[in-house]
Amino acid sequence: MPVEYNQQACTWTLSGGNASYVLHRDPENRLLHLYWGPRLPGNALSWQPEDYCSFASFDLPVSILPFEVPVCGSGWHGTPAVGIRNSCGDDVTDLRVLSWEVSPGKPALPGLPSTYAEEEKEAETLSFLLEDSLTGLRVTARFTVFAESGAVARSLFLENHGSAPLTVTSLLSASVPFWRGDFDILHLNGAWARERRIVRTPACQGEFRIQSARGASGHEENPFLALCDRNADEFSGSVWGISLVYSGSFTASCRVDNFGHARLSAGLNPDVFSWQLDPGESLSSPEAVLVYSAEGLNGLSQQYHRLYRTRLARGFWRDRPRPVLINNWEGTYFDFTEDRLVAIAEKAAEIGIELFVLDDGWFGKRNADNCSLGDWVVNRDKLPGGLSSLSGKLHALGLQFGLWFEPEMVSPDSDLYRAHPDWCLHVDGRPRTEARQQLILDLSRPEVQDYIIASVSGILSSSGVDYVKWDMNRNMTEAFSSVLPPERKKETQHRYMLGLYRVLESITSAFPQILFESCSGGGGRFDPGMLYYMPQTWISDDTDAVERLKLQYGTSVVYPASSMGAHVSAVPNHQTGRITCLKMRGDVALSGNFGFELDLTKFTPEELAEAGKLVSRVKQLRNLTREGTFWRLLSPFEGNAASWSFVSPDRREVLLCAYQVLSVPNTAPLRIRLRGLDPNLWYQAEDGRRFLGAALLCQGITVPLRGDFSSCVLLLKAE
Ligand code: DGJ
């Protein structure tokens, strides 16, 4: 059983895979955390108060208790997981366990994205009902443990059973104490076109915090943190990860107290959140997914990959090979006609591409990024026959038709804005801050949600659309809904996310066979929340092959290759000006959901032939790259080369990918030790070399990399 209750010790041990998570109810009915780490039997631990406060100290004993749901005001001095201001104006809260239950499987989080179990035996859920008797606040703390991996999905559900309104001032999905603090903290930071760089820094007394207040998870930080043993690396050592299934403003932190105890937390960003909970009302936190690995960072990533690929992503496309696509954005930008698009599509069809994606600029009078967002009506100057004529021509060529939208936005120069100037996020009497000459629709409002659902659905049902790219190109300002009363204004950002999730659920479930890809100025909303609705995300607006090494490597810390949009674009690259060969660009992009993002009519016949071979290769490899176990082997953050591999579930195939940025004279060939193979099998490489698995694991394989921007993608198969 994944959840074992030890009545004598009053502990609950949640176990799966190689991990356990242990909780305790103390004699005073407080819910305490005992342990999270390598798997333990259910009778291994009991509460030893003297481990925490056996000494005379200035500190209150309660301030060092390992609360599972820390609250404010009765001695605990960190950030509360549930911060409550009551009707008397104080924040004191005292949660005690009323009851608990274990149920098979995993309940959904209504209105919020979350991981799921397909069969009850995959997971078990332990729920504690806690109460603050003075105010009537009830908190259900849920812990679902997945049997296969030991991943623990956590969330909190708040209900006001009292008679006076409460204000929720902070809401963390998880806040996990550790009995030590000598960790490194790992996070994924960045900026537009430089998303998800791996950064590692030692934890020390005080608080290390990452956050977004932008109304989107953002380019700057990903909603993920890991604590690593100081000697943990990609392949060994203990690592604890927390990943927040949410796409809006978030906080994540590691706080080390004055006793050297760390606490790892993630949830809604209290700087831009508060929520009035009237009597009878309820509120759910987003979900946080906790993963422990004893096998270093690769072990952590592989667990997240499997869970997010198979039990977060949903729907028709979850387990299917994704079509090879061509997107016209970097090929034409706004400057296209139907004839120009069809000319590109003809070349695409010739070389086996399967999906043509029409990006920004097909609607309203949009010829630049200064107008028409919100007017989802085809631009007849560019597409005289409308979308159905274009989609008909593409379908006749054997191509699927994909279409770009940016539904959450409105341009001040649009019919929508002229009709509904109050529908955007704004504060009366203040300027409406524009970014990319656009404003954000107030998705906390049901009528705005309904407009988006109706306008997008209308096009999807009438235009033969097979794929949607859902973009979002700015962050929030004046994020206080004009229709909320003053005491609820700070609910706007979270209400926006709930509104967005309602819109996404409604549209994606109405069009189950359409493949949806999310995007936000590249990878500005690459998070588990979006992956629940859309199984893939455009990872960055930086399409340069060398930069993509870091982008794909960093993104892979949490997210599976099947979630990454990866395209070959033209050279000189539009973001960096760098010229790399087509082989390198293709060899990098084939590790994700592969596509082109250029004007194929500009290719020479030789380049077109090479692109055609690349497409065939992608089709040959795409099941392996989607389902295979991904191993990071050599970090582009640490040197001039990078390498990763995909190992098939039966370990009989491995795709080794290796890249060199700049050529260095007079050096030994790069040798790479493979991982995850069967030591007893013989593997035959495409280039004719043969190796025993044990040799590949222990001694490695040399890869032929020569010249600047060179690459080697080598398939090895068991004999
Ligand atoms: C930002 C996206 O990341 C790009 O791929 C492209 O779709 C543009 N928006 C279009 O405006």
Side-chain angles (χ1 to χ4, degrees), residues 627-646:
E627 292 174 345
T629 303
F630 183 84
W631 288 90
R632 286 181 302 274
L633 301 173
L634 194 60
S635 171
F637 294 98
E638 288 166 15
N640 188 39
S643 178
W644 53 71
S645 70
F646 299 87

Side-chain angles (χ1 to χ4, degrees), residues 347 350-351 582-583 596 600-614:
K347 295 283 176 203
E350 246 175 63
I351 61 168
L582 187 51
K583 176 169 177 355
F596 290 93
L600 276 181
T601 64
K602 294 186 177 156
F603 263 22
T604 63
E606 294 73 30
E607 284 172 325
L608 207 56
E610 191 180 341
K613 284 194 192 133
L614 188 54

Side-chain angles (χ1 to χ4, degrees), residues 329 359-360 404 436 469 471 473 519 521-522 538 541 597:
W329 178 241
D359 210 280
D360 195 353
W404 179 97
R436 211 190 188 209
K469 177 174 173 187
D471 205 348
N473 282 306
C519 172
W538 179 227
D541 276 342
E597 177 134 353

Side-chain angles (χ1 to χ4, degrees), residues 140 226 342 402 584 676:
T140 305
V342 171
M584 168 83 165

Side-chain angles (χ1 to χ4, degrees), residues 83-314:
I84 298 289
R85 176 132 326 135
N86 59 42
S87 56
C88 300
D90 69 73
D91 293 359
V92 179
T93 309
D94 186 3
L95 292 178
R96 306 281 167 153
V97 177
L98 280 188
S99 62
W100 61 276
E101 65 174 18
V102 176
S103 54
K106 181 173 191 292
L109 282 187
L112 282 165
S114 61
T115 54
Y116 56 90
E118 279 197 335
E119 292 179 40
E120 288 194 339
K121 64 174 194 264
E122 290 175 9
E124 215 164 39
T125 300
L126 170 64
S127 306
F128 290 95
L129 181 61
L130 306 153
E131 188 185 55
D132 176 47
S133 58
L134 196 65
T135 58
L137 173 74
R138 287 196 175 177
V139 177
T140 305
R142 285 205 188 103
F143 306 79
T144 298
V145 59
F146 287 87
E148 188 187 290
S149 62
V152 177
R154 295 202 35 182
S155 61
L156 296 174
F157 180 69
L158 276 47
E159 295 164 284
N160 184 348
H161 280 251
S163 52
L166 301 171
T167 303
V168 185
T169 56
S170 74
L171 184 55
L172 302 177
S173 307
S175 178
V176 187
F178 290 74
W179 54 268
R180 45 179 279 232
D182 54 339
F183 299 110
D184 282 346
I185 301 166
L186 187 139
H187 59 117
L188 303 173
N189 79 10
W192 174 80
R194 283 190 282 111
E195 295 92 338
R196 292 172 299 286
R197 311 235 146 169
I198 301 175
V199 180
R200 192 166 168 161
T201 182
C204 56
Q205 186 172 325
E207 187 164 41
F208 173 89
R209 179 180 179 221
I210 58 167
Q211 55 106 31
S212 163
R214 298 162 178 267
S217 47
H219 297 88
E220 196 178 357
E221 288 286 354
N222 201 256
F224 165 79
L225 270 188
L227 297 185
C228 313
D229 268 355
R230 292 257 155 93
N231 62 358
D233 59 17
E234 285 286 12
F235 309 105
S236 65
S238 284
V239 186
W240 295 258
I242 186 165
S243 163
L244 192 68
V245 187
Y246 192 61
S247 314
S249 297
F250 71 92
T251 184
S253 65
C254 169
R255 179 176 186 268
V256 180
D257 68 16
N258 47 350
F259 299 103
H261 297 159
R263 185 175 270 276
L264 183 63
S265 309
L268 300 178
N269 185 345
D271 297 347
V272 288
F273 166 81
S274 87
W275 195 278
Q276 180 166 316
L277 206 58
D278 282 341
E281 287 186 344
S282 60
L283 175 68
S284 181
S285 79
E287 176 170 293
V289 178
L290 310 180
V291 166
Y292 167 75
S293 160
E295 283 141 13
L297 285 159
N298 269 306
L300 183 92
S301 303
Q302 288 162 7
Q303 289 189 51
Y304 275 121
H305 293 175
R306 195 164 163 69
L307 190 64
Y308 285 178
R309 180 168 64 78
T310 65
R311 292 295 180 270
L312 175 68
R314 301 174 297 167

